[in-house]
Amino acid sequence: MGALMLLLIVIVLVAFYVTRSIKQIEQGNVVVVERLGRYSRTLQPGLNLMIPFFERIAVEYSMREQPLDVQPQQCLTADGISVMVDAIIFWRIIDPYRAYISVQELRPSLGSLVQAFLRSEIGEMDLKETFASRAEINRKLLKEVDSVTEGWGVKVTRVEIQEIKPPQQTLDAMAREVEARSLREATETEAKGNAEATRTEAKANAEAMNMIANELSRGNYSAAALQFLIAQNYLKTSGDLSQSPNAKVLFMDPNSLPGAVQGILSMLEGGKRGEPNDSPDSSNGKPNA
């Protein structure tokens, strides 16, 4: 009976020893083992044996890439504007031994490091530069943070600024500035269009005047040309007056246009024959004394 009890005790102890000696590690993880308080080795995924009572698991790390959402923090830009900045980083452990002996709490240390570099980068830029240079800020942060975490056995693979949020009054002022700039550009565009239309109209009128002047200089007094010119000036003048704040309605009998043209032609014909425009009044063909 005593021997059987002793055998049972031995079996229980062996089972307990084996249970404490075998450690199963999942794929993608590693385990740092301490022996009597000092680093012993790093266990890889799969089944591993440990020495009970002498060795213990210090920490288990995931070797996969992991995200870390950095808490939003207040930063001051170079032009004195306070902004709230939110960022996220992606990182992974490349050396479990250095990560174990270099940093006590890895994730909080990474977050504090990113916040410190983020405040430094934002402080060197004006507010408008922070919006326009977000990709450049990400690149600089990645380089600076990774240069420090390399000594921790950690590789930072990506840094992304999620949001840069100025105070509401600053956003309102920026919106008013954008609206004013858009209105100014629209006004300048309209002014350029009006100037171009005026130049085109002036050029067309000049060409028409030149054509009519050439005809008149050759004695080709075209009634149709003169009638067109008078009608054109009448319509333009009427349009300009209608747009004036003190506009008045003017009426002109269209039937008077041929008479006006005929009068101008008569004057031109008289000038061509060398006759004065205003002949002296005589009753007997002789000038008055």
Side-chain angles (χ1 to χ4, degrees), residues 196-265:
E196 183 64 27
T198 302
R199 285 194 296 269
T200 302
E201 181 181 2
K203 183 178 179 181
N205 289 337
E207 291 176 353
M209 293 293 293
N210 288 334
M211 180 184 68
I212 294 173
N214 290 334
E215 292 295 324
L216 294 176
S217 65
R218 291 196 296 266
N220 299 325
Y221 305 131
S222 174
L226 287 175
Q227 187 171 351
F228 166 76
L229 183 58
I230 293 173
Q232 184 185 39
N233 289 335
Y234 165 70
L235 293 175
K236 183 178 185 303
T237 303
S238 300
D240 293 340
L241 287 174
S242 66
Q243 295 178 1
S244 173
N246 300 320
K248 296 180 176 59
V249 180
L250 298 179
F251 295 95
M252 179 177 178
D253 186 5
N255 296 326
S256 64
L257 288 178
V261 173
Q262 187 62 41
I264 295 175
L265 289 175

Side-chain angles (χ1 to χ4, degrees), residues 47-81:
L47 291 177
N48 294 269
L49 293 177
M50 297 177 58
I51 304 175
F53 309 111
F54 292 96
E55 292 182 339
R56 74 177 189 91
I57 296 175
V59 64
E60 184 171 355
Y61 289 129
S62 173
M63 301 297 288
R64 304 178 183 91
E65 185 177 80
Q66 306 174 63
L68 175 61
D69 194 358
V70 180
Q71 291 297 322
Q73 61 171 332
Q74 195 170 18
C75 301
L76 192 65
T77 62
D79 50 351
I81 299 177

